[in-house]
Amino acid sequence: MAENRVSRVEQGQPKIRNVPIAVTPEGFWCCPSPVVFQKTLKSQKPLNKPKSSSPPPQISVHKKQIPLTEKKPMTTPISSVVTYDDQRTFTPVNHGISAPIVPERVSRPKVEHMPRNVAIEYGAPGTSDMKLILLGKQGFCVKLSVHKKVLLEHSCFFTDKLSEQESSLSCLEIDDCEDVESYVETVGFMYCKEMKQRLMKQSVSCVLRILKVAELIGFHSCIQSCLEYLEAVPWVGEEEEEKVVSSVLRLQGEGVGVTSVLKRITSNVCNPPNETLSHIMELVLKSNEERGRREMKFTVLKLLRENNSLPSYAAPADICSETVYTFCRSCLDSLLSLFKRAAEPESIDNATDSKEPVVKQIALEADNLSWLLEILADRQSADEFALRWASQQELATLHSKLPIVSRYPVSCITARLFVGIGKGELLPVKETRQLLLQTWLQPLINDYNWLQHGCRSFDRKVVEEGISRTILTLPLEDQQSILLAWLGSFLKAGDNCPNLQRAFEVWWRRTFIRPFADAQGNVLHSDSSGTSKQQD
């Protein structure tokens, strides 16, 4: 049976409250829950309010039966007393160990004038030989009845403090205690043989607070138990992970072994990141499961973009471009081989070595190249890809020999390149832009109707803007030859052809209006110069 008693030292009957009790082989210790602390703060009376002369109301005393879960029954009843006292009979000793004092701190009333304080007893009843006073926020005070021997055995801080005082010292005060509840919990661990079981009931944030107190008082066995807990428990969310890592790294600076916890975020394996990235990309590119490969392509692209957003001083070395171009060469070779196979008579329905139709294999390789191009464009490294794609004359020649249903995914790559050039995401040289338009613009025009109706990701306005801007980056003579060829296709196909009228208008003004305007301006300038000379 355990008896929990909360009494107020005033005239009248004591007030009884139940608080949680932890039973250990050495005895017991009890820690009021946060609700008890909060209720105490709310129930405090103003310091300057005079006491009523009338006696307090009579309150009956209740005792709660609590079954013990220990296998060995205890022969002596265990009681825990948590009291709210108005007076003290000890002399405080001020030794602050908590966080730095906040400037302009509100003055704390003297301990003797505290209206109330919580008293907690550790170990077997009536055996404590020392009082530990915790002065918290808002003038809240907790008096702990502890054993000097226990403090000396577990805490370097208390060993130093008590060695500085007389051996008969019976009271020690901790001023400016920021987290009284965690302090009480941490001191209680000194009376537990199995800290792990006690920590299992706590949350990660609570254990981090206990770890902080244990660090302050030099409670090494508690620090080790907290680290073992943090190594085993899942960390929920990035914010909690950052809190754990920052707390553990602080301990690492003080020479505490924290390697097991930090292994979650660091590795000692000498595996170059380039090899790991290459392996991941290879798995994604070779996957034939549509949903899985689509989701992982999105995930890898998103993570690479996060790396790109890091500041220049924090960004990792470029481990990506060379790896991506290696896969680009492989995909281009595979795509050309598939086009040759598909261009053979009656080969469209034949199966490849992997028992997949040629059409599906072409779509997969084209999708792989589009993904790799997206990665390179995000890293401003796609100029070489544009040159490689513009140089695929054989692939462009075979393009016209295949049915549109099997070839149109290739035109998506061409469209993405034009969009990238139009947006300035890649800046290939003039010769590459000319070659790209000469090689792939007509195949794109041939597939344009299918792209509009059969490709969900195709944005006609964006693509047309990209093509127009790419054409207008060329010399005026090249603009003319390309736009006149486009005009013939547009007048035949209409909406089934890219609408490049804006580019046509710009070229028109550059060809027919600007020279006349420039000449007119030169004439006016020469006339004004002659007039000014005559006046002089």
Side-chain angles (χ1 to χ4, degrees):
M1 180 185 301
E3 180 182 343
N4 306 327
R5 190 174 297 163
V6 180
S7 63
R8 180 175 179 180
V9 183
E10 290 182 1
Q11 295 179 358
Q13 296 294 331
K15 183 178 180 181
I16 305 302
R17 291 186 183 177
N18 292 324
V19 296
I21 294 178
V23 180
T24 67
E26 293 84 356
F28 75 96
W29 64 274
C30 69
C31 176
S33 66
V35 177
V36 174
F37 284 115
Q38 294 168 5
K39 287 184 177 179
T40 303
L41 289 175
K42 292 181 180 179
S43 61
Q44 289 181 0
K45 297 180 181 179
L47 298 180
N48 298 326
K49 184 177 179 180
K51 293 184 179 180
S52 175
S53 58
S54 59
Q58 299 294 327
I59 303 177
S60 60
V61 178
H62 300 280
K63 294 185 179 179
K64 182 178 180 180
Q65 303 291 334
I66 301 179
L68 296 178
T69 57
E70 300 291 334
K71 293 182 179 181
K72 296 181 180 181
M74 301 185 68
T75 57
T76 305
I78 299 175
S79 63
S80 168
V81 180
V82 180
T83 62
Y84 300 87
D85 302 332
D86 287 338
Q87 296 180 352
R88 294 224 184 108
T89 58
F90 54 83
T91 302
V93 180
N94 296 321
H95 295 286
I97 66 168
S98 63
I101 300 175
V102 179
E104 299 181 0
R105 185 179 130 223
V106 179
S107 60
R108 184 192 310 281
K110 292 184 179 180
V111 176
E112 293 82 354
H113 299 157
M114 285 290 185
R116 295 188 181 181
N117 42 81
V118 178
I120 302 173
E121 184 176 5
Y122 295 88
T127 61
S128 61
D129 56 0
M130 185 174 179
K131 302 297 181 182
L132 183 61
I133 311 303
L134 307 179
L135 299 178
K137 296 179 179 180
Q138 302 178 2
F140 186 57
C141 176
V142 178
K143 180 173 65 175
L144 306 180
S145 298
V146 295
H147 299 74
K148 186 180 299 185
K149 179 182 178 181
V150 175
L151 297 182
L152 294 174
E153 287 177 354
H154 293 89
S155 171
C156 297
F157 169 79
F158 288 118
T159 300
D160 295 340
K161 289 298 178 182
L162 294 176
S163 63
E164 296 173 0
Q165 308 294 333
E166 298 178 1
S167 58
S168 59
L169 180 68
S170 61
C171 181
L172 184 63
E173 183 178 301
I174 306 299
D175 196 11
D176 297 316
C177 188
E178 183 177 356
D179 189 353
V180 174
E181 181 186 349
S182 297
Y183 208 113
V184 171
E185 190 82 12
T186 306
V187 173
F189 281 133
M190 296 180 183
Y191 292 82
C192 291
K193 281 189 175 180
E194 297 295 335
M195 296 187 200
K196 181 178 180 181
Q197 283 72 15
R198 183 73 185 180
L199 288 172
M200 288 174 64
K201 301 177 182 180
Q202 310 293 343
S203 63
V204 171
S205 59
C206 180
V207 171
L208 289 177
R209 293 194 299 269
I210 293 173
L211 178 63
K212 183 177 180 180
V213 176
E215 178 189 359
L216 290 172
I217 65 176
F219 188 1
H220 297 299
S221 59
C222 183
I223 292 175
Q224 188 59 40
S225 295
C226 289
L227 291 176
E228 292 175 359
Y229 168 90
L230 295 172
E231 188 276 332
V233 73
W235 306 337
V236 181
E238 294 183 3
E239 182 179 355
E240 186 168 275
E241 177 177 328
E242 289 301 321
K243 290 180 179 179
V244 173
V245 172
S246 61
S247 298
V248 172
L249 287 176
R250 185 183 66 249
L251 289 172
Q252 187 181 38
E254 298 181 4
V256 179
V258 295
T259 305
S260 59
V261 180
L262 294 180
K263 279 186 177 180
R264 289 200 193 181
I265 60 171
T266 59
S267 175
N268 295 328
V269 179
C270 297
N271 186 19
N274 198 32
E275 293 182 8
T276 304
L277 178 62
S278 177
H279 181 62
I280 293 172
M281 297 183 72
E282 183 179 7
L283 291 175
V284 174
L285 292 171
K286 290 185 177 181
S287 173
N288 291 326
E289 205 285 316
E290 182 178 357
R291 180 176 179 180
R293 78 187 257 117
R294 182 176 67 250
E295 291 187 358
M296 286 311 302
K297 282 183 176 181
F298 173 80
T299 300
V300 172
L301 183 61
K302 180 186 69 173
L303 294 173
L304 289 173
R305 283 173 175 168
E306 290 180 1
N307 288 350
N308 295 340
S309 64
L310 291 174
S312 57
Y313 62 85
D318 188 359
I319 61 173
C320 180
S321 298
E322 184 178 350
T323 300
V324 174
Y325 275 116
T326 300
F327 287 113
C328 284
R329 290 190 291 269
S330 176
C331 290
L332 282 171
D333 293 341
S334 176
L335 188 62
L336 180 59
S337 175
L338 289 168
F339 262 55
K340 290 178 180 179
R341 189 189 299 269
E344 297 175 357
E346 301 180 357
S347 65
I348 294 299
D349 295 329
N350 292 338
T352 62
D353 295 339
S354 60
K355 307 302 180 181
E356 294 289 345
V358 175
V359 174
K360 185 174 181 180
Q361 288 294 314
I362 290 175
L364 287 176
E365 293 298 346
D367 184 61
N368 287 339
L369 283 168
S370 297
W371 181 56
L372 295 173
L373 172 58
E374 203 68 42
I375 294 173
L376 292 170
D378 283 340
R379 303 179 69 84
Q380 293 84 44
S381 305
D383 292 0
E384 183 181 343
F385 186 98
L387 177 59
R388 290 177 181 274
W389 188 249
S391 304
Q392 299 295 317
Q393 283 86 4
E394 185 178 5
L395 188 65
T397 302
L398 293 171
H399 182 275
S400 60
K401 299 180 180 180
L402 269 64
I404 191 171
V405 67
S406 59
R407 74 190 190 198
Y408 81 91
V410 172
S411 293
C412 292
I413 301 173
T414 303
R416 180 63 182 89
L417 280 170
F418 285 137
V419 171
I421 295 173
K423 291 183 176 180
E425 295 174 342
L426 57 156
L427 302 173
V429 297
K430 178 188 67 177
E431 291 75 15
T432 300
R433 302 194 303 273
Q434 289 174 330
L435 186 60
L436 181 64
L437 287 162
Q438 292 171 4
T439 305
W440 287 109
L441 180 58
Q442 190 57 49
L444 176 62
I445 292 175
N446 297 338
D447 295 346
Y448 206 73
N449 183 43
W450 189 275
L451 289 172
Q452 293 182 76
H453 300 94
C455 185
R456 291 179 296 179
S457 60
F458 187 80
D459 190 329
R460 174 171 182 164
K461 292 183 178 180
V462 173
V463 172
E464 291 172 354
E465 185 72 16
I467 297 173
S468 298
R469 291 182 176 182
T470 303
I471 294 173
L472 294 174
T473 63
L474 300 178
L476 195 60
E477 295 80 6
D478 294 323
Q479 296 177 35
Q480 177 175 324
S481 61
I482 293 173
L483 287 171
L484 290 180
W486 160 81
L487 182 60
S489 300
F490 183 71
L491 292 174
K492 293 178 181 178
D495 287 341
N496 295 331
C497 179
N499 189 337
L500 307 181
Q501 292 184 39
R502 291 186 179 180
F504 186 84
E505 292 174 4
V506 174
W507 165 79
W508 179 282
R509 295 188 184 99
R510 290 175 177 177
T511 303
F512 298 107
I513 300 176
R514 186 179 182 86
F516 175 77
D518 291 344
Q520 185 102 4
N522 291 334
V523 171
L524 293 174
H525 179 70
S526 61
D527 291 344
S528 62
S529 298
T531 304
S532 62
K533 288 181 180 180
Q534 291 177 1
Q535 290 177 354
D536 295 340

